[in-house]
Amino acid sequence: MTAVLLAEQSESQPSSQSVLESVFGYQEFRAGQQEVIDNAIAGNDGLVIMPTGGGKSLCYQIPALVRSGVT
């Protein structure tokens, strides 16, 4: 999967939705995740408070896979 994402990144930036589906196997984001991820992909800072099990990890992992370079 990672090789596929790297190939996609060289051509164009993959969408957060496509990464969610292809890498993590989920069809939809949990409440608040999409907004947090979009802000991180845009390069904005953010303070996110979510409950345990709220999906915080994806809020860091997906932008790292979508953006090029070091995050």
Side-chain angles (χ1 to χ4, degrees):
M1 289 288 175
T2 304
V4 171
L5 283 175
L6 292 175
E8 286 180 7
Q9 283 181 344
S10 64
E11 296 173 9
S12 68
Q13 193 177 48
S15 72
S16 57
Q17 183 67 41
S18 68
V19 172
L20 179 73
E21 293 173 5
S22 65
V23 176
F24 298 99
Y26 296 116
Q27 296 300 311
E28 57 188 42
F29 289 102
R30 290 185 180 177
Q33 282 181 320
Q34 182 75 57
E35 183 180 359
V36 170
I37 291 167
D38 289 344
N39 275 310
I41 291 170
N44 299 323
D45 294 332
L47 172 64
V48 179
I49 300 171
M50 292 178 145
T52 300
K56 295 178 291 294
S57 294
L58 291 182
C59 294
Y60 300 105
Q61 294 169 355
I62 291 177
L65 293 170
V66 169
R67 293 185 67 175
S68 62
V70 178
T71 56

